[in-house]
Amino acid sequence: MRKVNYKFKKTNICIYVSSRLSKNPKVFLHGFTGSYKSWYDITKKIKDYILIDIPGHGNSYFVDSASEYNFSDWANDFSYIIKDLNINGMNLIGYSLGARLSIVFASTNPRLISSLILESSAYGLDNKKELDDRYQKDIELASLIEKDFDKFLFEWEENSLFKNQKDRNPIGYQKQKAIRMKQNPNQLSRALKSFSQGKMKSYLRNFKKFDFPIVLINGVEDKKYITLSEVMFDECKNTNHYIISKSGHNVHLENPENFLKVLIRHD
């Protein structure tokens, strides 16, 4: 695996490319507080992949804290990276925040998508009040990240979405915890402000236009996101929806074997 850095006007984005890279690889986008390392246990069984640190996470960072960065900026930066690698299409796999970024990218660059695999994804919010309320909550959370990072980490790990992770995959849980602890609080806060769900208008109508296969993955305990996936499923004919047993929000951590089976099935 080789590391490649891309320097843009607003960001420096770090990616990791497998030793074998085809014109149609699997590309993985992690969730909030994660990094490219979040996918290690999955990519052990995959030979052809690209891992990305989302700006504000791991080794990818925002260059200027004062300038605005949004979903469109991300799509533009990511598009340049994919074209620079001479990739004709990809199987784009995103988890949570990474899934939302995947939807945005697929909407603006549909010809580069061979398949779209969304784990525990939202598709955006419908009205201004929902957007404003969510953005305000994320601003408050970003402030906590900056002021008391240890308190944020404790409260984040106590989130009900993640309640059974430690018991189901103790080693994976500890690896994830180590990734979170190494984040730069100011960069992570900036990522939350930039990619808040409160800044993502609904992309649901785009699912009617997608002509590539879509795979939706949810943990059986993650009722809220199962409902969101069901809405997306109804919008697009070429879609498969998998509800995985013994898992909540983070299926690839809590039930990696069954998550990998889904990926292989749609290889």
Side-chain angles (χ1 to χ4, degrees):
M1 184 170 67
R2 62 188 174 94
K3 177 181 176 182
V4 185
N5 282 306
Y6 285 90
K7 295 183 179 180
F8 299 100
K9 183 178 180 180
K10 297 180 180 180
T11 58
N12 188 317
I13 297 179
C14 189
I15 74 168
Y16 303 82
V17 182
S18 60
S19 55
R20 294 182 181 181
L21 190 64
S22 71
K23 301 295 183 182
N24 190 42
K26 288 181 171 61
V27 180
F28 292 85
L29 296 176
H30 60 77
F32 183 61
T33 75
S35 79
Y36 79 102
K37 294 180 180 179
S38 301
W39 295 109
Y40 267 5
D41 289 342
I42 299 300
T43 54
K44 285 177 182 177
K45 306 290 180 66
I46 298 172
K47 296 180 180 179
D48 183 22
Y49 60 84
I50 298 172
L51 305 175
I52 299 175
D53 276 341
I54 292 170
H57 297 76
N59 292 312
S60 294
Y61 56 88
F62 297 98
V63 175
D64 181 5
S65 59
S67 62
E68 182 181 356
Y69 191 85
N70 55 38
F71 288 98
S72 294
D73 292 318
W74 152 257
N76 290 335
D77 289 350
F78 188 33
S79 177
Y80 177 88
I81 292 171
I82 295 304
K83 291 174 182 176
D84 184 67
L85 293 173
N86 197 27
I87 293 171
N88 299 323
M90 72 182 94
N91 300 293
L92 185 54
I93 303 159
Y95 160 64
S96 199
L97 166 60
R100 292 191 291 113
L101 292 174
S102 297
I103 292 172
V104 173
F105 181 79
S107 297
T108 54
N109 298 271
R111 294 182 181 180
L112 291 174
I113 306 297
S114 299
S115 68
L116 183 62
I117 301 174
L118 306 173
E119 176 190 359
S120 304
S121 181
Y123 49 80
L125 297 171
D126 292 323
N127 60 63
K128 187 176 185 303
K129 186 179 186 309
E130 287 181 317
L131 289 163
D132 289 345
D133 289 349
R134 180 54 190 260
Y135 188 61
Q136 183 58 43
K137 288 180 181 178
D138 284 344
I139 288 296
E140 293 171 2
L141 187 59
S143 177
L144 177 60
I145 292 172
E146 295 172 12
K147 294 177 180 178
D148 194 339
F149 191 52
D150 288 339
K151 182 179 180 181
F152 161 74
L153 290 175
F154 175 79
E155 292 184 359
W156 188 256
E157 290 174 357
E158 292 298 306
N159 192 312
S160 60
L161 292 175
F162 314 134
K163 65 180 180 180
N164 293 316
Q165 291 179 358
K166 187 174 182 180
D167 294 332
R168 287 179 175 146
N169 187 352
I171 295 175
Y173 176 83
Q174 291 302 325
K175 289 179 181 177
Q176 176 181 255
K177 187 171 185 176
I179 291 169
R180 287 174 176 160
M181 291 177 67
K182 290 181 180 179
Q183 304 287 4
N184 179 309
N186 291 327
Q187 287 288 325
L188 193 64
S189 171
R190 178 68 190 280
L192 181 57
K193 294 174 184 177
S194 297
F195 303 130
S196 166
Q197 288 197 51
K199 296 182 74 174
M200 184 178 176
K201 294 182 180 179
S202 176
Y203 277 75
L204 187 59
R205 66 179 65 89
N206 294 72
F207 280 78
K208 290 183 181 293
K209 304 175 185 177
F210 290 157
D211 60 359
F212 41 76
I214 298 173
V215 178
L216 306 171
I217 303 175
N218 296 101
V220 68
E221 297 161 2
D222 194 5
K223 304 302 182 184
K224 174 183 175 180
Y225 282 83
I226 288 175
T227 299
L228 293 174
S229 288
E230 288 171 344
V231 175
M232 288 184 275
F233 181 85
D234 289 339
E235 292 297 313
C236 186
K237 294 180 180 179
N238 195 11
T239 305
N240 287 281
H241 186 195
Y242 295 90
I243 300 176
I244 308 300
S245 64
K246 298 179 180 179
S247 57
H249 193 64
N250 191 333
V251 180
H252 71 269
L253 178 95
E254 296 180 49
N255 198 334
E257 290 184 3
N258 283 333
F259 182 86
L260 190 58
K261 285 179 181 178
V262 173
L263 293 192
I264 293 173
R265 184 176 301 172
H266 292 275
D267 197 350

